[in-house]
Amino acid sequence: MALLLQEKKLSNRKNYVLIGLGVLLFIVVLFSLQSGAYTIPSVDVLKILSSHFGADTGATSIQKNVLLHIRLPRLLMALMVGGGLGIAGAALQGLFRNPLVEPGLIGVSSGAALAAVCLFVFGASFPWLPNLMGAFTLPMAAFVGGLAVTMLVYRLSQAGGKTDISLLILAGVALNALAGALIGLSLFYADDAALRSFTFWSMGDVGGTTWSKVHIALPIIGIACLLLGKQHKGLNGIAIGEAEAYHMGINVQRLKIYVLVLSALIVGTGVSVTGAIGFVGLIVPHLIRLTIGSDHKIVLPASFLMGAILLSLSDLIARMIIMPAEMPIGIITAIIGAPFFIWLIINVKKLRS
Amino acid sequence: MIKADNINFWIKNRRVLENIYLQLNVGELKVVLGPNGAGKSSLFKILSGEATCKLGAVAYNGRNLQQYNAAHLAMVRSVMPQSSQLSFPFFAKEVVEMGLMNINNHNPTYSIQEVMLQTNTWHLKNQLYGNLSGGEKQRVQFSRALVQIWEEKPYPRYLLLDEPTSSMDISQQHQLLHLLLGLKKRNIGILVILHDLNLAALYADSLILLKEGKVIANGVKDEVLTAENLFQTFDYPIEVLRHPVTGKPLIAPQPVHTNFQQTIKSA
């Protein structure tokens, strides 16, 4: 009986953490919508939002415009990209069986960036490309670039049918460096207009998000996240071992391709709209595992929530800290993320000794 | 029945298995014995579907292994490999639960508890797997494999174990094999790789002796467990006596120095 009670406590804790994250998200959302260079009281925020669903409101049109056309799309983008980075980070760590993996390390971000740069610089030579895919051109290019580099890193890290983690990290470092060099090389050939659009894009920020961008990124990232969240069984199996996962009925090869493609889709799309944002995919799954254990059934959705909270909070800080100017959000996540990464390394060292 | 026909397997141009035939029936406990590098684990991987052989075929219940997908195969056979390294901290009970991830079990909570009580791991359920001792980890992994085929089903199923007792103390070793004796009565066939010849002598129904990828002997226990066969397999003098209580074969290896003297005498 006493043992049963303990078990209940554990599952209750998981529920509490999920509920807690939900509440936290709501608070961050509300706070994020009301603060900025032009303050909108939270009562008005709720009023305007509900008026969107048919209720009457006394809010001014400035409030309405700021909220509906500047803050809301921007917040949605931060939530989606942050959540996507969180869940992709958790899934990739699970797949590679290593807690130090993050989308940046295995080349998703740099591959996506390289493809985006190529599109900015050489896109004019392929006029049929935008005609074919319209507004999806940039996200698609970023996705293909991210996927290609990730696949290459993954291939290089395979030794004897298994993923060799030291090879993986070496391959990641090498291909990231190569991608960086190729980005530099492409910029060398860029004209002023291409250079300008790349510079703005590479600053990595969710400012200037328009509804049209949200309309493209939101469904892609959203659907990919939903599909990725369904891979929890397989990722749990992989945590015991690739062979063991197969013994328990997981199609390991299919799982690997699923997770890689979906992660590349999420991160590539994210990179294409906001630039490369580091560390979210690394920190978030760790925080989650520390609090509620390793079961991917909870880790994946909780990582999404936590990533969404972290990035929207970082965005809030980014636009509050030097008001009315804004700091690129990548700087904020790196300032939080880098010390955390160091703390992580120290702890891994302790665990090993 | 698991039926393996003419299994041949190469690793980097080295032939590790040569023309292996074997059958595993339900209700049978078959033990694979052999020295290091005999090809036991390769055979095990081929039987479990983890590796595919270029030449030869494995069939489960009359159907070729290639025709099963992973999920379907998991319902028919359960596998415990030599050792498993977890990449993230899981509780012992979470590890056991994973055995049911693709299984249609009507009362998972009950099955998990029953299995963990039987394997003497229920008291470890809320401990982190990484903090357990080697033998405890093996028992938890054994439970995971066991729970996958615990609930009775109308079709024949199989359990494959690769050195499941290697880190266990003597009492746990015998408890595990005793559990297998009960399990084989439930329409289940069991194949175990062992290193302990006496465990094999006490619990096996049939044996396969492997050496350098070839079968030295294959058949019922009493026919296979002879001094000549064992010498041929292990290149080491081993006496086969009778167990004073059970009357089953009792394996008595000779100490190395006796071995030496004999060699000197014969020379």
Side-chain angles (χ1 to χ4, degrees):
Chain A
M1 219 33 218
L3 283 173
L4 268 172
L5 215 69
Q6 250 185 331
E7 251 175 77
K8 257 195 175 159
K9 267 186 196 160
L10 189 77
S11 61
N12 274 348
R13 191 167 154 197
K14 288 177 181 171
N15 290 336
Y16 286 145
V17 170
L18 279 183
I19 293 167
L21 285 174
V23 172
L24 203 60
L25 186 64
F26 181 74
I27 294 169
V28 171
V29 162
L30 206 61
F31 206 68
S32 175
L33 286 176
Q34 74 175 52
S35 3
Y38 182 88
T39 313
I40 309 168
S42 44
V43 186
D44 290 344
V45 168
L46 291 175
K47 267 189 193 162
I48 296 168
L49 285 181
S50 60
S51 81
H52 217 59
F53 299 104
D56 195 31
T57 171
T60 65
S61 63
I62 299 177
Q63 283 182 328
K64 220 169 169 176
N65 275 332
V66 167
L67 187 71
L68 292 179
H69 296 291
I70 298 176
R71 289 205 190 138
L72 198 58
R74 178 182 187 149
L75 176 71
L76 281 176
M77 191 63 94
L79 292 178
M80 233 33 210
V81 171
L85 284 171
I87 196 172
L92 286 172
Q93 288 176 3
L95 183 71
F96 286 103
R97 292 172 51 82
N98 192 297
L100 295 181
V101 169
E102 71 129 9
L105 193 71
I106 59 163
V108 188
S109 310
S110 60
L114 178 59
V117 171
C118 289
L119 194 70
F120 284 135
V121 178
F122 306 112
S125 321
F126 304 99
W128 48 269
L129 211 59
N131 290 341
L132 196 68
M133 291 188 285
F136 286 92
T137 315
L138 187 58
M140 268 301 138
F143 158 66
V144 170
L147 184 65
V149 177
T150 309
M151 287 292 207
L152 202 57
V153 168
Y154 183 74
R155 267 291 157 81
L156 287 172
S157 67
Q158 293 289 299
K162 282 185 181 170
T163 311
D164 186 320
I165 296 302
S166 49
L167 281 180
L168 173 89
I169 289 167
L170 284 175
V173 168
L175 284 172
N176 275 336
L178 188 64
L182 289 176
I183 289 174
L185 197 65
S186 310
L187 289 180
F188 194 72
Y189 291 103
D191 56 19
D192 281 354
L195 209 57
R196 210 177 128 79
S197 45
F198 173 73
T199 313
F200 275 107
W201 173 81
S202 71
M203 276 202 247
D205 117 62
V206 287
T209 305
T210 55
W211 277 111
S212 64
K213 278 188 187 173
V214 174
H215 286 318
I216 296 162
L218 204 95
I220 298 179
I221 298 181
I223 290 169
C225 285
L226 280 177
L227 291 174
L228 200 54
K230 285 190 175 170
Q231 308 301 318
H232 59 89
K233 263 191 204 173
L235 288 171
N236 275 348
I238 288 262
I240 299 197
E242 284 191 17
E244 288 83 344
Y246 169 69
H247 297 148
M248 292 187 286
I250 303 296
N251 185 335
V252 176
Q253 209 49 42
R254 197 175 65 192
L255 177 80
K256 284 178 183 172
I257 290 170
Y258 251 70
V259 171
L260 284 177
V261 169
L262 290 173
S263 300
L265 199 56
I266 292 168
V267 179
T269 310
V271 168
S272 78
V273 285
T274 65
I277 295 172
F279 285 112
V280 175
L282 176 75
I283 316 170
V284 165
H286 274 283
L287 287 175
I288 296 302
R289 286 203 189 90
L290 281 175
T291 44
I292 47 174
S294 309
D295 185 356
H296 287 90
K297 196 175 179 180
I298 316 285
V299 167
L300 293 178
S303 291
F304 181 87
L305 288 178
M306 188 72 205
I309 292 169
L310 197 70
L311 201 64
S312 46
L313 200 62
S314 297
D315 182 46
L316 186 64
I317 295 170
R319 57 200 175 86
M320 297 293 285
I321 204 165
I322 46 168
M323 222 157 43
E326 284 180 12
M327 197 171 268
I329 195 168
I331 295 177
I332 305 291
T333 58
I335 280 175
I336 304 173
F340 181 82
F341 196 68
I342 292 165
W343 175 82
L344 199 70
I345 293 167
I346 293 168
N347 269 275
V348 169
K349 263 205 309 208
K350 267 189 205 156
L351 276 178
R352 280 189 186 158
S353 59
Chain B
M1 179 171 69
I2 298 182
K3 196 158 179 278
D5 273 332
N6 194 24
I7 301 294
N8 285 274
F9 190 61
W10 286 265
I11 297 177
K12 286 182 183 154
N13 293 326
R14 192 169 64 92
R15 199 179 197 181
V16 286
L17 291 174
E18 256 185 84
N19 311 328
I20 310 270
Y21 290 84
L22 77 84
Q23 281 188 9
L24 178 69
N25 297 308
V26 289
E28 182 185 5
L29 201 169
K30 190 187 279 298
V31 172
V32 182
L33 292 169
N36 300 133
K40 303 187 293 289
S41 288
S42 296
L43 179 62
F44 187 85
K45 281 180 186 163
I46 287 166
L47 290 177
S48 68
E50 197 184 324
T52 43
C53 47
K54 280 185 188 152
L55 192 62
V58 179
Y60 275 72
N61 298 338
R63 200 168 146 209
N64 197 301
L65 195 57
Q66 312 298 326
Q67 292 171 298
Y68 286 89
N69 61 33
H72 201 164
L73 198 56
M75 292 189 245
V76 181
R77 67 96 183 84
S78 174
V79 185
M80 176 188 173
Q82 259 180 46
S83 67
S84 303
Q85 290 280 331
L86 263 64
S87 51
F88 297 106
F90 280 94
F91 293 102
K93 190 172 166 229
E94 287 180 317
V95 174
V96 179
E97 261 169 11
M98 283 185 210
L100 291 174
M101 63 169 59
N102 276 304
I103 304 300
N104 179 21
N105 186 304
H106 294 94
N107 195 345
T109 323
Y110 179 73
S111 290
I112 288 163
Q113 182 171 2
E114 206 179 13
V115 164
M116 290 185 81
L117 285 171
Q118 296 266 337
T119 57
N120 196 16
T121 51
W122 184 242
H123 63 288
L124 304 171
K125 66 184 173 119
N126 286 330
Q127 293 203 28
L128 285 175
Y129 179 84
N131 297 343
L132 302 178
S133 77
E136 287 170 339
K137 279 181 185 162
Q138 263 185 333
R139 269 147 55 205
V140 169
Q141 291 292 348
F142 177 58
S143 313
R144 175 181 64 75
L146 204 56
V147 78
Q148 195 174 325
I149 50 166
W150 192 251
E151 195 178 59
E152 298 213 35
K153 300 279 174 190
Y155 48 87
R157 289 176 300 168
Y158 309 91
L159 177 63
L160 310 175
L161 308 160
D162 191 350
E163 292 185 36
T165 58
S166 57
S167 304
M168 293 185 188
D169 63 51
I170 188 158
S171 131
Q172 300 288 356
Q173 292 184 359
H174 284 268
Q175 279 180 40
L176 184 145
L177 278 141
H178 184 77
L179 235 170
L180 295 183
L181 289 186
L183 195 69
K184 69 181 187 182
K185 292 176 192 142
R186 302 180 176 195
N187 206 13
I188 287 172
I190 303 166
L191 182 127
V192 194
I193 295 179
L194 284 178
H195 267 304
D196 188 326
L197 300 178
N198 274 312
L199 276 181
L202 278 175
Y203 294 99
D205 299 311
S206 58
L207 288 167
I208 294 183
L209 297 182
L210 271 187
K211 184 192 182 185
E212 289 166 5
K214 296 187 196 97
V215 173
I216 301 291
N218 179 2
V220 293
K221 176 167 60 186
D222 288 318
E223 287 170 18
V224 172
L225 271 189
T226 62
E228 301 94 282
N229 278 342
L230 291 177
F231 182 79
Q232 214 191 331
T233 309
F234 292 98
D235 288 321
Y236 194 85
I238 297 165
E239 296 285 336
V240 180
L241 312 170
R242 285 286 138 195
H243 194 285
V245 180
T246 61
K248 289 179 175 167
L250 179 71
I251 310 300
Q254 291 179 16
V256 173
H257 67 272
T258 338
N259 181 13
F260 245 126
Q261 280 164 357
Q262 273 179 350
T263 328
I264 292 165
K265 260 185 222 163
S266 60

